[in-house]
Each structure stands twice: as C-alpha cells, then as structure tokens.
C-alpha cells in the first residue's frame, strides 16, 4: 500500500518562495518516478514536474527556471522548491507516483500567492 502526504503549502507574497514536501510510505520509493501536479480553481489538474529514480528531471514550461524538484531516498521524500512565485501559481499541489500499474495521489496542499 502506497500513501503520499504533502506538506509545506501556505500563503506567500508574489516573488516569494515555498518548499513543498511529499512523504511516501510503502516499499520501493527509490525506484518510483515521482511527480508534482497542481489544480487551480475551476481549472483542470496540470503536470508541474517529474523526477525519475535516476534523478532526471522535467518541468512544465510555466515553472521552468523557477521550480526545482528533488528527492531524498533516505527519507522517502520528494520536494518541490518554488521560487519567484506568481499569483498564477496559486493552486492545490499534489504529488503522484505509479507503482504496480496503479496511480497514487496525495491529498494535496494549498499554495496561495497573493499580496
């Protein structure tokens, strides 16, 4: 059984920074590809970033150069460092993985960028 728990969201001013964490339970974390998604009000959920088991990363164009995804296999945790935040980054952020041909999602953490 895989469980994902996000944390680190909150209210931040434009130009500010936040670091989200996603703690995973269940064996096999180090071989899972981990991803962050987000869903803004009245919009569809969109992909933000991915990190493979080998540490390769990919980013959506909208966050490239501002966000950094990383992982700590000793802590079964994936991170999303978000810098230079904009109001349009406001959303619920979710982490996701696929294990045993099943997709697993966390419950999400709210990020609000506002002055």
């Amino acid at each position: 059984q895989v469980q994902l728990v996000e944390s680190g969201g909150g209210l931040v001013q434009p130009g500010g920074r936040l670091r989200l964490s996603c703690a995973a339970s269940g064996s096999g974390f180090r071989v899972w590809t981990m991803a962050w998604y987000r869903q803004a009000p009245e919009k569809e959920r969109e992909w933000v970033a991915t990190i493979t088991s080998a540490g390769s990363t990919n980013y959506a164009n909208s966050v490239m150069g501002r966000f950094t995804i990383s992982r700590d296999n000793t802590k079964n945790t994936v991170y999303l460092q978000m810098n230079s935040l904009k109001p349009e980054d406001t959303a619920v952020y979710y982490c996701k993985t696929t294990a045993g041909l099943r997709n697993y999602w966390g419950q999400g953490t709210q990020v609000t960028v506002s002055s």
Side-chain angles (χ1 to χ4, degrees), residues 59-68 81 83-84:
Y59 299 92
N61 289 337
S62 59
V63 306
M64 194 171 298
R66 300 186 299 123
F67 290 11
T68 302
Q81 177 66 47
N83 299 333
S84 302

Side-chain angles (χ1 to χ4, degrees), residues 35-66:
W36 286 97
Y37 285 73
R38 67 185 181 186
Q39 187 166 17
E42 301 181 357
K43 291 189 176 181
E44 293 189 354
R45 192 171 297 188
E46 65 174 1
W47 168 73
V48 174
T50 298
I51 185 165
T52 69
S53 59
S56 297
T57 58
N58 280 291
Y59 299 92
N61 289 337
S62 59
V63 306
M64 194 171 298
R66 300 186 299 123

